[in-house]
Every structure is written in structure tokens, then in C-alpha cells.
Amino acid sequence: MSEKSEQRLSVFKTYKLYVGGKFPRSESGRVYEVTDAKGKWLANAPLSSRKDARDAVVAARKAFGGWSGATAYNRGQILYRIAEMLEGRRDQYVAEVADAEGLSKSKAAAQVDAAIDRWVWYAGWTDKIAQVIGGGNPVAGPFFNLSSPEPTGVVAVLAPQESSFLGLVSVIAPVIATGNTAVVVASEKSPLPALSLGEVLATSDLPGGVVNVLSGRTAEIAAPLAAHQDVNAIDLAGADEVLAKELEIAAADNLKRVLRPQPVDDWSAAPGTDRMTAFLETKTVWHPTGSLGASGSAY
């Protein structure tokens, strides 16, 4: 057979979950078809099970101590590194977002550029948010009274259904910028950009387990996450009204912080600090000042 008559077969991408810094297939062995805006087949995505959700929580909890204990400056460096990696793979994400959302290349490029900029924006906030919402408090008495924010813990994040990449980044970045770890449920309809994001996270100095990405039926994965006793908070951005109510009830069993779905017309709008402060706790320390007892020690 001559070279001219040979036809090269395309190498189709096998999408996998991203859990604990690794790329496992779903424990269930199931997949589901992902199509573009016109119904054309794009790929098979893993159909995550309850076991996958539990594994992701274990990975997130294991990573929490190291990530929350890292300096804010170091977290900012890593978030900026994610932006660098995405910039280098910009064309890939433009193509994936265009297919996922039925956008023109120029509109998809604008979404990807905004997502990259969003990582940079949150990278700049990592060592500033504590100064904005913490500080010294005026009290009556011989005391110093200082408040400082601390991360809540493991946060389950339901990514927006319609904004497959910019919306996704807009709900992940603020969670991890402040020292939390995340279990992310990708858009059910358009999970491929989220699954590809795992490849960037794995090579961007982000410790394994800080972000874990699951794909599949949102309601099926979110239910065990909302009820999980080791999940400290849940962002319901990608839940419809009925599902959000069910998950909020399940989350109440161990007093999770719940961020209810907010009407968002444009994910490219300036994000503000709300999504960072939603998953922070405030620690307040009282310390005596002046002379104490016979020793006359000053504090």
C-alpha cells in the first residue's frame, strides 16, 4: 500500500475523572455520551457513582491540612501558575468551549480569556482577603481582640450547567484561593472542559486532592455529597430550584454552610469577594494587655 493511499486514524481522547491528583475511570465503569450544541457526538464522559463521590471527599480531606496550612502567598503563586498553564493551552480550550456551548471561535476565545484572567484575579486576592475581612476589634477592657478568617474545609461545588468553563473557574478559584479543598461536579451537559482542566491542575504545582473533578448526573452525584458528614460546605450554583431545595435539606444534617444558587446573567462580570467569604470562618482571639498580677508582665 502506498503512502498516498494510507489514511491516518484520529486518536480520540479518553476523558477520565480527576481525583486525588490522579485520573481514574469511574468506579462504576459507566460512561455517557456528550454531544455538542447540534447533537453531534463529542466524547464519552465518565458517569460517576456514589463511590467516586466518597473517594473524592477522602482525597479532599487528606489534602486540606497541607493546602490550608500553606502561606497565602504560596497559594497565590500556584493559582497564577494555573493561569500560565491555561494560557499555553488556550487553543485547546477555545475549541472545547466552542463545541460545548455552541459558540463561535471568537466568543469561545473571549470566554477562555476571561477564565484565565479570573485565575489571575483570585491569585491576587489570596494574601489580601484576610486584611479586608479580619483585623483588630475595639473592645471595652484591657484586651487585644483580633479576628482572622480561616477556611471552612471540604467544599462540594456544583458547577454551572450553562457556562462550561468560565462559570466553572468562577466557582472553583474562590474556594481554593482561601485554603479550602473542593469536590467539583462538572456541568452534566458540557463536562469536557472541566475534565480537561484536571490535566492543567495536575501539572500546575497544585497538590493532589485540592481540586477533584467528577462528571455524570448532577443529582446522582450531589446527593451523597450533600449528606456526607465530612463535607463542610456546598455551593449549589449548578442545581435547579428543586434539586437545590433537596440538597439544602440533606446538608442541614451536619450544619454545612450552603451557598444557594444565585441568578447570574453574565459570569464575565466582576466577581467581587462574596464567593471567597462564603466559605471562610472567623476566628477571634482575646489577649490581655497591661500589667497582670504581681509579676507586672506586659502583653
Side-chain angles (χ1 to χ4, degrees):
M1 183 180 294
S2 66
E3 287 189 15
K4 291 185 178 179
S5 63
E6 291 181 359
Q7 292 186 352
R8 181 179 179 278
L9 297 176
S10 299
V11 179
F12 291 104
K13 184 173 181 176
T14 301
Y15 286 89
K16 298 181 181 180
L17 307 177
Y18 181 59
V19 177
K22 300 179 181 179
F23 296 92
R25 300 177 189 273
S26 171
E27 173 272 339
S28 69
R30 302 177 299 167
V31 297
Y32 72 105
E33 291 188 355
V34 178
T35 59
D36 64 13
K38 296 180 179 179
K40 178 184 176 183
W41 180 85
L42 292 175
N44 290 332
L47 197 59
S48 299
S49 67
R50 289 172 176 262
K51 176 64 163 54
D52 294 318
R54 292 196 297 270
D55 289 345
V57 173
V58 170
R61 177 57 64 191
K62 184 177 180 181
F64 177 69
W67 183 244
S68 61
T71 65
Y73 177 74
N74 180 240
R75 288 200 298 268
Q77 287 181 308
I78 292 174
L79 264 64
Y80 188 84
R81 175 63 176 162
I82 294 171
E84 289 181 335
M85 299 292 290
L86 286 173
E87 188 77 34
R89 299 176 63 168
R90 179 178 179 273
D91 291 346
Q92 172 195 341
Y93 284 95
V94 168
E96 287 193 345
V97 171
D99 287 340
E101 301 182 28
L103 301 175
S104 66
K105 293 293 183 181
S106 60
K107 289 184 178 180
Q111 294 286 301
V112 172
D113 289 344
I116 295 171
D117 292 345
R118 188 64 42 88
W119 281 111
V120 175
W121 194 85
Y122 280 111
W125 268 103
T126 57
D127 59 356
K128 300 175 182 67
I129 189 67
Q131 301 170 54
V132 172
I133 66 173
N137 307 310
V139 295
F143 300 99
F144 289 122
N145 183 260
L146 305 173
S147 294
S148 60
E150 293 187 340
T152 297
V154 175
V155 182
V157 180
L158 309 190
Q161 296 297 330
E162 301 302 324
S163 185
S164 64
F165 195 58
L166 178 55
L168 171 78
V169 170
S170 297
V171 295
I172 295 177
V175 169
I176 66 172
T178 51
N180 298 289
T181 55
V183 177
V184 181
V185 181
S187 164
E188 181 175 331
K189 183 179 72 171
S190 306
L192 303 187
L195 295 175
S196 289
L197 180 63
E199 299 168 8
V200 168
L201 300 178
T203 54
S204 62
D205 302 327
L206 186 74
V210 172
V211 175
N212 306 275
V213 183
L214 306 174
S215 62
R217 309 303 180 203
T218 299
E220 184 177 339
I221 309 169
L225 291 175
H228 201 297
Q229 297 295 298
D230 204 26
V231 172
N232 304 110
I234 186 167
D235 183 345
L236 301 176
D240 59 33
E241 185 176 348
V242 174
L243 178 59
K245 184 175 181 180
E246 294 175 356
L247 297 177
E248 191 169 353
I249 293 171
D253 192 46
N254 73 329
L255 301 177
K256 290 180 178 64
R257 278 181 173 263
V258 176
L259 183 60
R260 296 174 176 83
Q262 304 292 322
V264 177
D265 296 323
D266 183 8
W267 283 100
S268 64
T273 60
D274 290 351
R275 288 190 174 274
M276 286 187 286
T277 58
F279 303 116
L280 286 173
E281 310 290 340
T282 300
K283 178 179 71 176
T284 300
V285 176
W286 292 73
H287 199 291
T289 183
S291 299
L292 292 180
S295 66
S297 301
Y299 291 84

